[in-house]
Amino acid sequence: MKKIIVLISGSGSNLQAIIDDCNAKRIDAEIACVISNNPNAFGLERAKLAGIKTIVINHKEFVSRELFDNELYILLKKHNPDLIVLAGFMRILTKKITENFYGKLINIHPSLLPKYPGLNTHEKAIKNNDKVHGVSIHYVSSELDGGPLIAQGEITTGKEDVDTLIERIHKLEHKIYPEIIKYICNGQIYLDSNKVIFEKIDLEGSYISKKYEI
Ligand code: GRF
């Protein structure tokens, strides 16, 4: 059984989807702890309810990004997880984290990268009249929302308000993030020399630009 650490900053709905799949044994892993930079993150309540250890490292108590990351690094090293999952973790990580945990650190981003890195992706998709929008799961590198792509899910978009679009994107995230985590924990997805390897997965290769009806 693999050991996962999940990093959050907010609602933690993705965390919940991962907790549910671990509890249902769809993911062969245990969440060793949930770390939040935000003491008020609702995801902390979700973790506590599930009996998972929570740790808060409040970024406001650190004078620099480097010092915050140093604290995070010490914690991560101490727990020595097989996989670190960023699930709505709203901090840019420095090389201390991205380089030391390269290949063990994944993120979900609500856009079809390389389109719309950063914030307000849904608003941008609507403003640009995009016909498709989606989510990307990738290994984390030192480049913001960069790093080797593992999977992308696409949905078609029409004339809808931002809240509706966010809700649909969340549903998509809750479907594909746990699925990818399951495969990583089974050793069926891994990073080898900057290339994402898929082993014995029926959908091999087609995780990129996969279309979903949501
Ligand atoms: C998700 O949309 C994720 O893609 C982005 O932040 C959001 C987190 O939502 N990185 P939640 O906290 O998991 O509900």
Side-chain angles (χ1 to χ4, degrees):
M1 185 184 272
K2 294 286 174 1
K3 192 199 264 192
I4 298 179
I5 290 187
V6 183
L7 270 58
I8 59 162
S9 299
S11 154
S13 67
N14 279 284
L15 165 68
Q16 188 66 58
I18 300 163
I19 291 174
D20 292 347
D21 273 23
C22 286
N23 285 346
K25 312 254 180 267
R26 282 187 289 270
I27 297 175
D28 187 23
E30 64 154 2
I31 303 176
C33 75
V34 169
I35 302 177
S36 174
N37 65 303
N38 170 11
N40 302 315
F42 182 65
L44 291 168
E45 303 310 316
R46 296 180 191 268
K48 283 177 198 155
L49 208 62
I52 299 167
K53 177 174 159 185
T54 59
I55 300 173
V56 173
I57 315 176
N58 187 345
H59 64 281
K60 292 187 179 152
E61 291 170 5
F62 294 82
V63 291
S64 69
R65 197 174 287 284
E66 284 69 25
L67 284 172
F68 171 85
D69 273 16
N70 197 47
E71 186 75 13
L72 181 59
Y73 173 82
I74 291 167
L75 259 176
L76 292 173
K77 271 282 175 206
K78 190 177 119 200
H79 283 87
N80 193 25
D82 298 293
L83 181 66
I84 303 161
V85 175
L86 305 186
F89 185 66
M90 304 304 283
R91 298 283 304 166
I92 294 173
L93 293 166
T94 63
K95 286 186 176 172
K96 173 110 187 178
I97 303 286
T98 57
E99 288 182 356
N100 274 293
F101 297 102
Y102 188 61
K104 279 190 173 189
L105 181 59
I106 60 168
N107 182 42
I108 188 159
H109 181 76
S111 80
L112 296 168
L113 291 168
K115 213 170 186 182
Y116 313 141
L119 300 174
N120 305 320
T121 58
H122 314 293
E123 288 80 356
K124 287 171 189 162
I126 287 178
K127 187 164 168 263
N128 292 332
N129 270 320
D130 288 355
K131 298 284 176 280
V132 289
H133 186 42
V135 309
S136 303
I137 298 171
H138 62 95
Y139 283 101
V140 176
S141 70
S142 53
E143 188 192 336
L144 177 67
D145 296 324
L149 268 180
I150 305 169
Q152 280 185 323
E154 287 185 6
I155 52 171
T156 54
T157 56
K159 288 196 186 327
E160 59 193 316
D161 59 42
V162 73
D163 290 339
T164 309
L165 185 55
I166 289 174
E167 203 185 312
R168 291 177 65 214
I169 287 291
H170 264 114
K171 278 194 185 142
L172 176 59
E173 292 185 328
H174 303 160
K175 194 173 162 54
I176 69 174
Y177 212 15
E179 191 173 314
I180 294 299
I181 291 167
K182 173 187 81 178
Y183 284 128
I184 293 175
C185 289
N186 287 349
Q188 287 175 269
I189 296 178
Y190 56 93
L191 196 62
D192 186 16
S193 308
N194 290 329
K195 193 171 173 325
V196 180
I197 309 293
F198 296 84
E199 265 178 18
K200 299 190 203 102
I201 297 178
D202 289 347
L203 293 162
E204 188 167 336
S206 62
Y207 261 115
I208 301 300
S209 303
K210 196 170 167 204
K211 291 176 181 46
Y212 291 83
E213 302 279 334
I214 282 177

